[in-house]
Amino acid sequence: LSGFYERRIKRLIPALAVFVLATSLLISLFNPVPARALELGCKALLGSSNIQLYNESTDYFAEATELNPFVHTWSLGVEEQFYFIFPLIILLFARKKHYLLWLSLAAFVVSFGISVYATYDYHWAAYYLLPSRAWQMMAGAILAITASSVVRLNVDSRWLSTLSLMAILFIFLPAIFYSKETRFPGFAALWPTLGAALIVFLGLIGCRGWIIRFLGAAPLRSVGLISYSLYLWHWPILSYLHIIEGGAPHRNRTILAILFSILFAWITYKFIEKPIRFVGSNK
């Protein structure tokens, strides 16, 4: 358990700390950093920025949030809280894998039910808090628990092609058709979550369809390597550009901001994430 937490801390905290500090310093060169934004950055380091946003009833899609460089860290808070709780449950049922699977399935169903219900009456609780988000991470946990059985499945190649196409559609159609008015997470989050789970499932059983090969191509795997740092950097750069422009930035500047995000992400991965994450290992 201590080894797991050590790996998670190395994976998440150094890059996050450098990102919060660097972002605050860069912005302060031109404008004072709002106290609320700094507070949210500190809460992100403690894994509780999502709770602050919920307590403030923050509308994630309101224009005001576009001016906060740390608002996107709510999802990291949910992730860190899940990492704190679920490993303890695994430890309790380490010798009873069968019970662990059933407990995980039950947690998935209960959390999904909470998510659906809360999107109607407790919208921001549903959006920001762990109880209504845990089912999305439980989908991955269930795949991990069943991985040894999954790899032995023999699925017809025609079904694999159909499943891979379904997975892509489940992920990308919501990105096209969902809007700020979509009740989320709830039922709306089921499809992209299911699509992601299908992609992992297809990888576990050794699917070699063109979609899986495409996702496994070197350029996309390189994006995967820097994805955490890219997650950290993309929003503050776009947010600050929004502040400079006084509104939605021009498309060309947005593209330039994305390129800068990739550059900063690579630098963070190369000089912060990778050296600290693998210190003391042979990787």
Side-chain angles (χ1 to χ4, degrees):
L1 188 64
S2 61
F4 170 80
Y5 287 133
E6 180 186 359
R7 291 192 298 273
R8 288 295 85 195
I9 290 170
K10 286 182 178 179
R11 177 75 175 91
L12 300 176
I13 300 303
L16 177 62
V18 170
F19 152 75
V20 170
L21 178 61
T23 299
S24 301
L25 288 175
L26 286 172
I27 293 177
S28 66
L29 292 175
F30 304 95
N31 289 298
V33 183
R36 179 175 173 272
L38 281 177
E39 183 183 0
L40 197 61
C42 294
K43 290 290 180 63
L45 286 169
L46 298 173
S48 60
S49 58
N50 61 318
I51 296 174
Q52 177 176 328
L53 290 167
Y54 163 68
N55 287 333
E56 296 173 352
S57 299
T58 301
D59 184 344
Y60 191 71
F61 299 102
E63 288 188 12
T65 60
E66 296 173 345
L67 310 181
N68 191 325
F70 303 120
V71 73
H72 66 309
T73 60
W74 73 266
S75 60
L76 185 60
V78 173
E79 180 182 348
E80 290 176 345
Q81 291 154 26
F82 180 81
Y83 285 152
F84 180 76
I85 296 171
F86 191 64
L88 298 176
I89 297 173
I90 294 176
L91 193 64
L92 288 174
F93 292 90
R95 298 182 182 275
K96 298 178 180 179
K97 188 175 179 181
H98 179 73
Y99 292 131
L100 180 61
L101 175 58
W102 283 108
L103 181 64
S104 299
L105 289 169
F108 178 94
V109 172
V110 171
S111 175
F112 180 67
I114 292 172
S115 183
V116 172
Y117 171 75
T119 53
Y120 287 91
D121 295 310
Y122 305 94
H123 187 193
W124 297 120
Y127 197 91
Y128 288 121
L129 300 184
L130 180 63
S132 58
R133 288 288 191 170
W135 66 274
Q136 295 178 277
M137 290 170 281
M138 288 306 307
I142 291 167
L143 279 172
I145 293 167
T146 59
S148 59
S149 301
V150 167
V151 294
R152 293 196 296 267
L153 291 178
N154 185 15
V155 184
D156 187 280
S157 59
R158 290 171 295 181
W159 278 105
L160 293 179
S161 298
T162 302
L163 285 175
S164 60
L165 181 59
M166 286 173 57
I168 294 299
L169 291 176
F170 285 167
I171 292 171
F172 284 100
L173 288 182
I176 297 170
F177 293 109
Y178 287 3
S179 68
K180 296 178 182 179
E181 286 70 41
T182 302
R183 293 186 182 275
F184 200 93
F187 281 116
L190 178 62
W191 306 113
T193 303
L194 183 57
L198 275 174
I199 291 292
V200 176
F201 169 78
L202 292 170
L204 286 173
I205 64 174
C207 175
R208 293 293 180 265
W210 69 269
I211 291 177
I212 302 301
R213 292 200 305 272
F214 172 75
L215 292 174
L220 290 184
R221 284 190 283 111
S222 297
V223 173
L225 288 174
I226 66 168
S227 61
Y228 175 55
S229 290
L230 187 57
Y231 153 79
L232 291 175
W233 279 109
H234 83 284
W235 180 247
I237 292 176
L238 288 171
S239 176
Y240 195 63
L241 185 60
H242 203 99
I243 295 172
I244 295 174
E245 295 281 309
H250 187 273
R251 182 178 61 184
N252 291 341
R253 294 189 182 91
T254 300
I255 293 172
L256 187 62
I258 293 171
L259 293 176
F260 269 108
S261 300
I262 294 172
L263 174 62
F264 281 23
W266 181 85
I267 291 172
T268 305
Y269 172 76
K270 181 73 174 178
F271 297 105
I272 305 297
E273 269 195 80
K274 191 175 180 181
I276 294 177
R277 184 180 176 188
F278 297 123
V279 65
S281 74
N282 295 321
K283 296 181 180 180

